[in-house]
Each structure stands twice: as C-alpha cells, then as structure tokens.
Amino acid sequence: MKKYILGFAMTMVALGANAATIKIATIAPDGTAWMKEMRAAAEAVKTKTADRVEIKFYPGGVMGDNATVLRKIKIGQLQGAAFTGGEAAAITPDANVYSQPFQFRSEDEVDKVRAKVDGQLKASFEKAGFVVPGMAGGGFAYLFSVNDIHDKDTLKAAKVWVPQGDHVAEIAFKSAGVTPIPLPIADVYTSLQTGLIDAAASTTAGAIAFQWHTKVRHMLDLPLMYVMGFLAVDKKAFDALSVDDRKTVNDEVAAAFARIEKGARADNAQARTALQGQGVAVTPQNAEQRKAWDAIGEDARKNLTGAGGISPELAAAVNKSLEEARK
C-alpha cells in the first residue's frame, strides 16, 4: 500500500511539473464572438492534453496597452497576446506585410497570397522569439467621413484619424499629402462628435460596432488596407510544451481563427448593407480614380519596405504571389 501511495504521489508530481498555463492578453471584450471562439479553443486544448495545457485569457485590455503587454511577456507574467498587425509590428515589422495601403483588391487575392506566404510570415515571428498558432483577416478597412471624400484633394481637406502608433496608417496618409491625427481607438467616437476628426478608417463591421456610423455620412468604396489579427505566444513558453501538446495548441487555435475569419467576412458583408440602409452614402471610384489611389499606395509601400520596415524578401514574396493571383 505504501508503495502504491508513493507511486501515485510521484505520478501526480510529474503531471504537475508538466502542466503549463499560457496566459494571453487581449483588448477584445469578454462575451464577443472572438472571445467565445478563443475560450472554446482553450477548452478543447485542455481536454485533449488531459489538463497538461491551460490557456487563460485576460480580455478587455485589463493587462494594459501594447507596450505594457509586451513587457509583461518579456518578464514571464504573460505568455502571449492577441495583436493587430500594427501592434504586432513591435515584434516584427513584417506583421504589416498584408496590411500595406491599396495592396489588395479582393478577399480572393488575399487568400491566394496568404496560402503561399503565411509560412514565411510565421517564420519572421519565430526569429523575433514568438510562435503564431493563430492568424486571421478581419477584412478590408474603408474610409468613413463626415464630408464626401472622393479624391486626393478632398482627402487633403479632411481631419483623418489613425490609430496611435500605427506606422502603416501614418505612412499611407502622409503619402497622400495628409497629416493624420493619431488617437487611441477609444477616443474616436468622441472626436468625431466634437469635430476633432471628421474621417476614420475601419472595416464595415467595425464602423457599426464602435457606433462611428452614427457620426459619419460617407464611405469611400475603395479598400484602403487589409486588417490582420495574430495570436502570438512567447517561443520559450511554447517550446516548453511537449511535441504533441504543441500540435494540439496549433491545431485548435488555428481552427478557431479560421472560424473567426469566416465570421468576420459574413459580418462585414451584412454591415455594408446595414450601413447603406442607415443612410451612409457609398462613394464609388472609376478606373482613373483607382489608378491615382494605386500610385499613392505604391509610393507608401516603398517607404514601408527596407531598413527598419518590412523585409524586402517578404515584400517580394507577396508581390510575386499577388502577380500570379491576378494572372
């Protein structure tokens, strides 16, 4: 009996030693579709690893801003976080490779390029010390405005918001001759209300979720950039898991992100219809106007690639895949 008890105790100690908790920060509020999918993935991971791996989420931005979260990951207080492309650029500038201005024209182009380049992008994160088990597109961002914006001149007259610290958005608008106004996303609604800004870029679903559509009257029918989201985990913490457990985490989180992306596309399509139904006028663009915007995008993308920016190799891989997709 003593031998049995001792053996059981040793087994429990071994299991405890192999157990791991991966703490993830996110600004997504609890109860959202994103959090529901993430919690479902976490539950699946816990079950399939026989409680060896637990993924714990800290939603609603309770862990602080982007810089604070990265610092907490560095000291081991957190093991990872959910980031937008702009936020993840603090890990690797390559995180913005799919979000360059006026790069893609359709979701189909995005899908074809990502099928070939996602692996290289994940490798870039790994070089920076992070593993990305999940990444998903949130859809295209469009420019919403109080006054009609239909060309470069009307854009120059606008007071345009960009997310604080979003280098890509700043470069994009500066290439069009605009000095944007950086603000935290939480301040956008009030700033539209007071007139501090009169234009802001968002996905169609985002414009409704944040209630910005109640303060704007126009939407420029031109994809500005593609929005990406990443779940990045500290590589040291991830590599401490067994091979089988790492595969389980990868599989379950990737499946959840695929569902999130599918849902985002449906939400954006429904939101576009809803926006028009609520009086937001969609301003179309003809071929000549699109050509002018493309020139701005090309100039901006040059400024985003190279020293301190997106790696030329990854940018070239995206361009090559995009050319093949369009053929």
Side-chain angles (χ1 to χ4, degrees), residues 250-283:
N250 269 323
D251 290 349
E252 294 303 326
V253 173
F257 266 71
R259 294 191 296 271
I260 288 168
E261 184 169 290
K262 184 178 180 180
R265 292 189 179 186
D267 290 345
N268 282 324
Q270 292 170 6
R272 182 185 177 97
T273 301
L275 286 166
Q276 290 175 285
Q278 293 182 37
V280 175
V282 177
T283 304

PDB file of all heavy atoms in Angstrom, residues 250-283:
ATOM      1  N   ASN A 250      -1.586  24.358 -31.635  1.00  0.00           N
ATOM      2  CA  ASN A 250      -1.588  24.888 -33.006  1.00  0.00           C
ATOM      3  C   ASN A 250      -2.886  24.560 -33.732  1.00  0.00           C
ATOM      4  O   ASN A 250      -3.510  25.427 -34.352  1.00  0.00           O
ATOM      5  CB  ASN A 250      -0.399  24.325 -33.787  1.00  0.00           C
ATOM      6  CG  ASN A 250       0.833  25.202 -33.701  1.00  0.00           C
ATOM      7  OD1 ASN A 250       0.738  26.425 -33.700  1.00  0.00           O
ATOM      8  ND2 ASN A 250       1.998  24.573 -33.625  1.00  0.00           N
ATOM      9  N   ASP A 251      -3.293  23.300 -33.652  1.00  0.00           N
ATOM     10  CA  ASP A 251      -4.474  22.851 -34.389  1.00  0.00           C
ATOM     11  C   ASP A 251      -5.749  23.536 -33.896  1.00  0.00           C
ATOM     12  O   ASP A 251      -6.563  24.013 -34.705  1.00  0.00           O
ATOM     13  CB  ASP A 251      -4.634  21.327 -34.268  1.00  0.00           C
ATOM     14  CG  ASP A 251      -3.566  20.552 -35.038  1.00  0.00           C
ATOM     15  OD1 ASP A 251      -2.844  21.179 -35.830  1.00  0.00           O
ATOM     16  OD2 ASP A 251      -3.458  19.332 -34.828  1.00  0.00           O
ATOM     17  N   GLU A 252      -5.933  23.585 -32.588  1.00  0.00           N
ATOM     18  CA  GLU A 252      -7.180  24.133 -32.039  1.00  0.00           C
ATOM     19  C   GLU A 252      -7.270  25.644 -32.218  1.00  0.00           C
ATOM     20  O   GLU A 252      -8.329  26.171 -32.558  1.00  0.00           O
ATOM     21  CB  GLU A 252      -7.307  23.758 -30.549  1.00  0.00           C
ATOM     22  CG  GLU A 252      -7.473  22.277 -30.288  1.00  0.00           C
ATOM     23  CD  GLU A 252      -8.671  21.685 -31.007  1.00  0.00           C
ATOM     24  OE1 GLU A 252      -9.701  22.381 -31.154  1.00  0.00           O
ATOM     25  OE2 GLU A 252      -8.585  20.517 -31.426  1.00  0.00           O
ATOM     26  N   VAL A 253      -6.159  26.345 -32.000  1.00  0.00           N
ATOM     27  CA  VAL A 253      -6.169  27.802 -32.164  1.00  0.00           C
ATOM     28  C   VAL A 253      -6.335  28.166 -33.638  1.00  0.00           C
ATOM     29  O   VAL A 253      -7.096  29.078 -33.987  1.00  0.00           O
ATOM     30  CB  VAL A 253      -4.897  28.431 -31.582  1.00  0.00           C
ATOM     31  CG1 VAL A 253      -4.830  29.926 -31.915  1.00  0.00           C
ATOM     32  CG2 VAL A 253      -4.853  28.243 -30.067  1.00  0.00           C
ATOM     33  N   ALA A 254      -5.645  27.436 -34.524  1.00  0.00           N
ATOM     34  CA  ALA A 254      -5.777  27.708 -35.963  1.00  0.00           C
ATOM     35  C   ALA A 254      -7.210  27.481 -36.428  1.00  0.00           C
ATOM     36  O   ALA A 254      -7.754  28.264 -37.223  1.00  0.00           O
ATOM     37  CB  ALA A 254      -4.823  26.815 -36.752  1.00  0.00           C
ATOM     38  N   ALA A 255      -7.859  26.429 -35.929  1.00  0.00           N
ATOM     39  CA  ALA A 255      -9.251  26.144 -36.307  1.00  0.00           C
ATOM     40  C   ALA A 255     -10.178  27.256 -35.816  1.00  0.00           C
ATOM     41  O   ALA A 255     -11.099  27.675 -36.522  1.00  0.00           O
ATOM     42  CB  ALA A 255      -9.684  24.797 -35.730  1.00  0.00           C
ATOM     43  N   ALA A 256      -9.914  27.757 -34.596  1.00  0.00           N
ATOM     44  CA  ALA A 256     -10.729  28.844 -34.055  1.00  0.00           C
ATOM     45  C   ALA A 256     -10.557  30.116 -34.886  1.00  0.00           C
ATOM     46  O   ALA A 256     -11.534  30.818 -35.178  1.00  0.00           O
ATOM     47  CB  ALA A 256     -10.346  29.105 -32.598  1.00  0.00           C
ATOM     48  N   PHE A 257      -9.328  30.410 -35.297  1.00  0.00           N
ATOM     49  CA  PHE A 257      -9.080  31.606 -36.100  1.00  0.00           C
ATOM     50  C   PHE A 257      -9.712  31.492 -37.483  1.00  0.00           C
ATOM     51  O   PHE A 257     -10.154  32.490 -38.055  1.00  0.00           O
ATOM     52  CB  PHE A 257      -7.574  31.873 -36.204  1.00  0.00           C
ATOM     53  CG  PHE A 257      -7.072  32.830 -35.163  1.00  0.00           C
ATOM     54  CD1 PHE A 257      -6.988  32.444 -33.834  1.00  0.00           C
ATOM     55  CD2 PHE A 257      -6.701  34.118 -35.498  1.00  0.00           C
ATOM     56  CE1 PHE A 257      -6.541  33.318 -32.856  1.00  0.00           C
ATOM     57  CE2 PHE A 257      -6.257  35.003 -34.540  1.00  0.00           C
ATOM     58  CZ  PHE A 257      -6.176  34.607 -33.206  1.00  0.00           C
ATOM     59  N   ALA A 258      -9.772  30.273 -38.026  1.00  0.00           N
ATOM     60  CA  ALA A 258     -10.443  30.074 -39.315  1.00  0.00           C
ATOM     61  C   ALA A 258     -11.933  30.378 -39.184  1.00  0.00           C
ATOM     62  O   ALA A 258     -12.542  31.000 -40.064  1.00  0.00           O
ATOM     63  CB  ALA A 258     -10.237  28.636 -39.795  1.00  0.00           C
ATOM     64  N   ARG A 259     -12.526  29.976 -38.062  1.00  0.00           N
ATOM     65  CA  ARG A 259     -13.946  30.268 -37.823  1.00  0.00           C
ATOM     66  C   ARG A 259     -14.153  31.774 -37.616  1.00  0.00           C
ATOM     67  O   ARG A 259     -15.140  32.342 -38.093  1.00  0.00           O
ATOM     68  CB  ARG A 259     -14.455  29.485 -36.604  1.00  0.00           C
ATOM     69  CG  ARG A 259     -14.472  27.976 -36.791  1.00  0.00           C
ATOM     70  CD  ARG A 259     -15.227  27.276 -35.683  1.00  0.00           C
ATOM     71  NE  ARG A 259     -14.616  27.435 -34.364  1.00  0.00           N
ATOM     72  CZ  ARG A 259     -13.700  26.620 -33.853  1.00  0.00           C
ATOM     73  NH1 ARG A 259     -13.261  25.571 -34.564  1.00  0.00           N
ATOM     74  NH2 ARG A 259     -13.213  26.822 -32.644  1.00  0.00           N
ATOM     75  N   ILE A 260     -13.223  32.398 -36.918  1.00  0.00           N
ATOM     76  CA  ILE A 260     -13.312  33.843 -36.683  1.00  0.00           C
ATOM     77  C   ILE A 260     -13.249  34.603 -38.003  1.00  0.00           C
ATOM     78  O   ILE A 260     -14.021  35.541 -38.238  1.00  0.00           O
ATOM     79  CB  ILE A 260     -12.171  34.299 -35.733  1.00  0.00           C
ATOM     80  CG1 ILE A 260     -12.442  33.803 -34.307  1.00  0.00           C
ATOM     81  CG2 ILE A 260     -12.017  35.818 -35.758  1.00  0.00           C
ATOM     82  CD1 ILE A 260     -11.253  33.940 -33.381  1.00  0.00           C
ATOM     83  N   GLU A 261     -12.338  34.192 -38.882  1.00  0.00           N
ATOM     84  CA  GLU A 261     -12.202  34.866 -40.173  1.00  0.00           C
ATOM     85  C   GLU A 261     -13.463  34.691 -41.023  1.00  0.00           C
ATOM     86  O   GLU A 261     -13.932  35.648 -41.649  1.00  0.00           O
ATOM     87  CB  GLU A 261     -10.981  34.325 -40.916  1.00  0.00           C
ATOM     88  CG  GLU A 261     -10.722  35.038 -42.235  1.00  0.00           C
ATOM     89  CD  GLU A 261      -9.368  34.663 -42.821  1.00  0.00           C
ATOM     90  OE1 GLU A 261      -8.340  35.070 -42.258  1.00  0.00           O
ATOM     91  OE2 GLU A 261      -9.362  33.949 -43.839  1.00  0.00           O
ATOM     92  N   LYS A 262     -13.998  33.504 -41.025  1.00  0.00           N
ATOM     93  CA  LYS A 262     -15.228  33.243 -41.783  1.00  0.00           C
ATOM     94  C   LYS A 262     -16.366  34.114 -41.254  1.00  0.00           C
ATOM     95  O   LYS A 262     -17.134  34.709 -42.019  1.00  0.00           O
ATOM     96  CB  LYS A 262     -15.603  31.764 -41.691  1.00  0.00           C
ATOM     97  CG  LYS A 262     -16.816  31.380 -42.520  1.00  0.00           C
ATOM     98  CD  LYS A 262     -17.102  29.881 -42.418  1.00  0.00           C
ATOM     99  CE  LYS A 262     -18.324  29.507 -43.248  1.00  0.00           C
ATOM    100  NZ  LYS A 262     -18.608  28.043 -43.155  1.00  0.00           N
ATOM    101  N   GLY A 263     -16.461  34.217 -39.932  1.00  0.00           N
ATOM    102  CA  GLY A 263     -17.499  35.041 -39.326  1.00  0.00           C
ATOM    103  C   GLY A 263     -17.318  36.515 -39.636  1.00  0.00           C
ATOM    104  O   GLY A 263     -18.291  37.236 -39.868  1.00  0.00           O
ATOM    105  N   ALA A 264     -16.047  36.971 -39.652  1.00  0.00           N
ATOM    106  CA  ALA A 264     -15.763  38.383 -39.937  1.00  0.00           C
ATOM    107  C   ALA A 264     -16.208  38.750 -41.352  1.00  0.00           C
ATOM    108  O   ALA A 264     -16.746  39.837 -41.577  1.00  0.00           O
ATOM    109  CB  ALA A 264     -14.278  38.664 -39.756  1.00  0.00           C
ATOM    110  N   ARG A 265     -15.997  37.861 -42.285  1.00  0.00           N
ATOM    111  CA  ARG A 265     -16.401  38.136 -43.674  1.00  0.00           C
ATOM    112  C   ARG A 265     -17.920  38.263 -43.792  1.00  0.00           C
ATOM    113  O   ARG A 265     -18.428  39.151 -44.477  1.00  0.00           O
ATOM    114  CB  ARG A 265     -15.868  37.049 -44.603  1.00  0.00           C
ATOM    115  CG  ARG A 265     -14.363  37.083 -44.724  1.00  0.00           C
ATOM    116  CD  ARG A 265     -13.820  36.175 -45.794  1.00  0.00           C
ATOM    117  NE  ARG A 265     -12.363  36.278 -45.856  1.00  0.00           N
ATOM    118  CZ  ARG A 265     -11.612  35.688 -46.757  1.00  0.00           C
ATOM    119  NH1 ARG A 265     -12.162  34.946 -47.706  1.00  0.00           N
ATOM    120  NH2 ARG A 265     -10.295  35.835 -46.738  1.00  0.00           N
ATOM    121  N   ALA A 266     -18.607  37.376 -43.106  1.00  0.00           N
ATOM    122  CA  ALA A 266     -20.065  37.440 -43.136  1.00  0.00           C
ATOM    123  C   ALA A 266     -20.559  38.722 -42.456  1.00  0.00           C
ATOM    124  O   ALA A 266     -21.463  39.403 -42.955  1.00  0.00           O
ATOM    125  CB  ALA A 266     -20.654  36.209 -42.440  1.00  0.00           C
ATOM    126  N   ASP A 267     -19.934  39.068 -41.338  1.00  0.00           N
ATOM    127  CA  ASP A 267     -20.329  40.276 -40.600  1.00  0.00           C
ATOM    128  C   ASP A 267     -20.088  41.536 -41.427  1.00  0.00           C
ATOM    129  O   ASP A 267     -20.918  42.455 -41.441  1.00  0.00           O
ATOM    130  CB  ASP A 267     -19.546  40.377 -39.285  1.00  0.00           C
ATOM    131  CG  ASP A 267     -19.971  39.323 -38.269  1.00  0.00           C
ATOM    132  OD1 ASP A 267     -21.041  38.707 -38.460  1.00  0.00           O
ATOM    133  OD2 ASP A 267     -19.220  39.117 -37.299  1.00  0.00           O
ATOM    134  N   ASN A 268     -18.950  41.587 -42.119  1.00  0.00           N
ATOM    135  CA  ASN A 268     -18.634  42.763 -42.932  1.00  0.00           C
ATOM    136  C   ASN A 268     -19.607  42.928 -44.097  1.00  0.00           C
ATOM    137  O   ASN A 268     -20.009  44.048 -44.427  1.00  0.00           O
ATOM    138  CB  ASN A 268     -17.200  42.674 -43.457  1.00  0.00           C
ATOM    139  CG  ASN A 268     -16.168  43.046 -42.405  1.00  0.00           C
ATOM    140  OD1 ASN A 268     -16.386  43.929 -41.592  1.00  0.00           O
ATOM    141  ND2 ASN A 268     -15.041  42.356 -42.409  1.00  0.00           N
ATOM    142  N   ALA A 269     -19.988  41.804 -44.708  1.00  0.00           N
ATOM    143  CA  ALA A 269     -20.941  41.867 -45.821  1.00  0.00           C
ATOM    144  C   ALA A 269     -22.302  42.370 -45.337  1.00  0.00           C
ATOM    145  O   ALA A 269     -22.931  43.220 -45.973  1.00  0.00           O
ATOM    146  CB  ALA A 269     -21.077  40.487 -46.462  1.00  0.00           C
ATOM    147  N   GLN A 270     -22.755  41.854 -44.194  1.00  0.00           N
ATOM    148  CA  GLN A 270     -24.034  42.286 -43.641  1.00  0.00           C
ATOM    149  C   GLN A 270     -23.970  43.753 -43.205  1.00  0.00           C
ATOM    150  O   GLN A 270     -24.930  44.509 -43.382  1.00  0.00           O
ATOM    151  CB  GLN A 270     -24.407  41.406 -42.457  1.00  0.00           C
ATOM    152  CG  GLN A 270     -24.739  39.964 -42.850  1.00  0.00           C
ATOM    153  CD  GLN A 270     -24.865  39.043 -41.654  1.00  0.00           C
ATOM    154  OE1 GLN A 270     -24.812  39.488 -40.513  1.00  0.00           O
ATOM    155  NE2 GLN A 270     -25.013  37.755 -41.913  1.00  0.00           N
ATOM    156  N   ALA A 271     -22.830  44.152 -42.639  1.00  0.00           N
ATOM    157  CA  ALA A 271     -22.678  45.525 -42.147  1.00  0.00           C
ATOM    158  C   ALA A 271     -22.706  46.530 -43.297  1.00  0.00           C
ATOM    159  O   ALA A 271     -23.251  47.619 -43.164  1.00  0.00           O
ATOM    160  CB  ALA A 271     -21.367  45.652 -41.371  1.00  0.00           C
ATOM    161  N   ARG A 272     -22.123  46.167 -44.424  1.00  0.00           N
ATOM    162  CA  ARG A 272     -22.126  47.068 -45.582  1.00  0.00           C
ATOM    163  C   ARG A 272     -23.566  47.377 -46.004  1.00  0.00           C
ATOM    164  O   ARG A 272     -23.926  48.532 -46.253  1.00  0.00           O
ATOM    165  CB  ARG A 272     -21.354  46.434 -46.739  1.00  0.00           C
ATOM    166  CG  ARG A 272     -21.248  47.331 -47.983  1.00  0.00           C
ATOM    167  CD  ARG A 272     -20.570  46.580 -49.116  1.00  0.00           C
ATOM    168  NE  ARG A 272     -20.538  47.389 -50.316  1.00  0.00           N
ATOM    169  CZ  ARG A 272     -19.502  48.124 -50.709  1.00  0.00           C
ATOM    170  NH1 ARG A 272     -18.403  48.160 -49.973  1.00  0.00           N
ATOM    171  NH2 ARG A 272     -19.561  48.826 -51.827  1.00  0.00           N
ATOM    172  N   THR A 273     -24.382  46.342 -46.060  1.00  0.00           N
ATOM    173  CA  THR A 273     -25.790  46.529 -46.415  1.00  0.00           C
ATOM    174  C   THR A 273     -26.499  47.373 -45.359  1.00  0.00           C
ATOM    175  O   THR A 273     -27.284  48.276 -45.683  1.00  0.00           O
ATOM    176  CB  THR A 273     -26.486  45.162 -46.547  1.00  0.00           C
ATOM    177  OG1 THR A 273     -25.815  44.388 -47.546  1.00  0.00           O
ATOM    178  CG2 THR A 273     -27.937  45.327 -46.926  1.00  0.00           C
ATOM    179  N   ALA A 274     -26.196  47.094 -44.090  1.00  0.00           N
ATOM    180  CA  ALA A 274     -26.838  47.826 -42.996  1.00  0.00           C
ATOM    181  C   ALA A 274     -26.446  49.306 -43.017  1.00  0.00           C
ATOM    182  O   ALA A 274     -27.290  50.179 -42.770  1.00  0.00           O
ATOM    183  CB  ALA A 274     -26.450  47.201 -41.658  1.00  0.00           C
ATOM    184  N   LEU A 275     -25.183  49.595 -43.325  1.00  0.00           N
ATOM    185  CA  LEU A 275     -24.722  50.989 -43.369  1.00  0.00           C
ATOM    186  C   LEU A 275     -25.480  51.793 -44.422  1.00  0.00           C
ATOM    187  O   LEU A 275     -25.910  52.921 -44.170  1.00  0.00           O
ATOM    188  CB  LEU A 275     -23.215  51.031 -43.663  1.00  0.00           C
ATOM    189  CG  LEU A 275     -22.289  50.633 -42.520  1.00  0.00           C
ATOM    190  CD1 LEU A 275     -20.872  50.382 -43.033  1.00  0.00           C
ATOM    191  CD2 LEU A 275     -22.269  51.701 -41.439  1.00  0.00           C
ATOM    192  N   GLN A 276     -25.635  51.195 -45.585  1.00  0.00           N
ATOM    193  CA  GLN A 276     -26.374  51.881 -46.652  1.00  0.00           C
ATOM    194  C   GLN A 276     -27.833  52.074 -46.264  1.00  0.00           C
ATOM    195  O   GLN A 276     -28.442  53.103 -46.580  1.00  0.00           O
ATOM    196  CB  GLN A 276     -26.251  51.090 -47.957  1.00  0.00           C
ATOM    197  CG  GLN A 276     -24.847  51.136 -48.555  1.00  0.00           C
ATOM    198  CD  GLN A 276     -24.707  50.246 -49.779  1.00  0.00           C
ATOM    199  OE1 GLN A 276     -24.626  49.026 -49.690  1.00  0.00           O
ATOM    200  NE2 GLN A 276     -24.673  50.871 -50.941  1.00  0.00           N
ATOM    201  N   GLY A 277     -28.383  51.090 -45.557  1.00  0.00           N
ATOM    202  CA  GLY A 277     -29.759  51.195 -45.104  1.00  0.00           C
ATOM    203  C   GLY A 277     -29.949  52.278 -44.059  1.00  0.00           C
ATOM    204  O   GLY A 277     -31.061  52.792 -43.882  1.00  0.00           O
ATOM    205  N   GLN A 278     -28.853  52.644 -43.376  1.00  0.00           N
ATOM    206  CA  GLN A 278     -28.939  53.668 -42.337  1.00  0.00           C
ATOM    207  C   GLN A 278     -28.441  55.028 -42.827  1.00  0.00           C
ATOM    208  O   GLN A 278     -28.169  55.916 -42.030  1.00  0.00           O
ATOM    209  CB  GLN A 278     -28.153  53.217 -41.106  1.00  0.00           C
ATOM    210  CG  GLN A 278     -28.783  52.007 -40.428  1.00  0.00           C
ATOM    211  CD  GLN A 278     -28.037  51.573 -39.182  1.00  0.00           C
ATOM    212  OE1 GLN A 278     -27.538  52.391 -38.430  1.00  0.00           O
ATOM    213  NE2 GLN A 278     -27.959  50.270 -38.962  1.00  0.00           N
ATOM    214  N   GLY A 279     -28.326  55.161 -44.151  1.00  0.00           N
ATOM    215  CA  GLY A 279     -28.051  56.470 -44.716  1.00  0.00           C
ATOM    216  C   GLY A 279     -26.607  56.817 -44.989  1.00  0.00           C
ATOM    217  O   GLY A 279     -26.299  57.963 -45.329  1.00  0.00           O
ATOM    218  N   VAL A 280     -25.696  55.871 -44.858  1.00  0.00           N
ATOM    219  CA  VAL A 280     -24.299  56.135 -45.199  1.00  0.00           C
ATOM    220  C   VAL A 280     -24.143  55.976 -46.712  1.00  0.00           C
ATOM    221  O   VAL A 280     -24.362  54.890 -47.260  1.00  0.00           O
ATOM    222  CB  VAL A 280     -23.335  55.181 -44.456  1.00  0.00           C
ATOM    223  CG1 VAL A 280     -21.894  55.406 -44.919  1.00  0.00           C
ATOM    224  CG2 VAL A 280     -23.441  55.388 -42.948  1.00  0.00           C
ATOM    225  N   ALA A 281     -23.758  57.048 -47.377  1.00  0.00           N
ATOM    226  CA  ALA A 281     -23.620  57.024 -48.838  1.00  0.00           C
ATOM    227  C   ALA A 281     -22.276  56.417 -49.226  1.00  0.00           C
ATOM    228  O   ALA A 281     -21.233  56.807 -48.692  1.00  0.00           O
ATOM    229  CB  ALA A 281     -23.724  58.441 -49.389  1.00  0.00           C
ATOM    230  N   VAL A 282     -22.301  55.468 -50.145  1.00  0.00           N
ATOM    231  CA  VAL A 282     -21.079  54.818 -50.624  1.00  0.00           C
ATOM    232  C   VAL A 282     -20.623  55.526 -51.894  1.00  0.00           C
ATOM    233  O   VAL A 282     -21.354  55.590 -52.885  1.00  0.00           O
ATOM    234  CB  VAL A 282     -21.331  53.318 -50.889  1.00  0.00           C
ATOM    235  CG1 VAL A 282     -20.072  52.675 -51.466  1.00  0.00           C
ATOM    236  CG2 VAL A 282     -21.744  52.614 -49.604  1.00  0.00           C
ATOM    237  N   THR A 283     -19.413  56.072 -51.860  1.00  0.00           N
ATOM    238  CA  THR A 283     -18.869  56.819 -53.000  1.00  0.00           C
ATOM    239  C   THR A 283     -18.053  55.888 -53.892  1.00  0.00           C
ATOM    240  O   THR A 283     -16.990  55.415 -53.497  1.00  0.00           O
ATOM    241  CB  THR A 283     -17.959  57.974 -52.516  1.00  0.00           C
ATOM    242  OG1 THR A 283     -18.709  58.813 -51.630  1.00  0.00           O
ATOM    243  CG2 THR A 283     -17.446  58.788 -53.686  1.00  0.00           C
TER     244      THR A 283
END
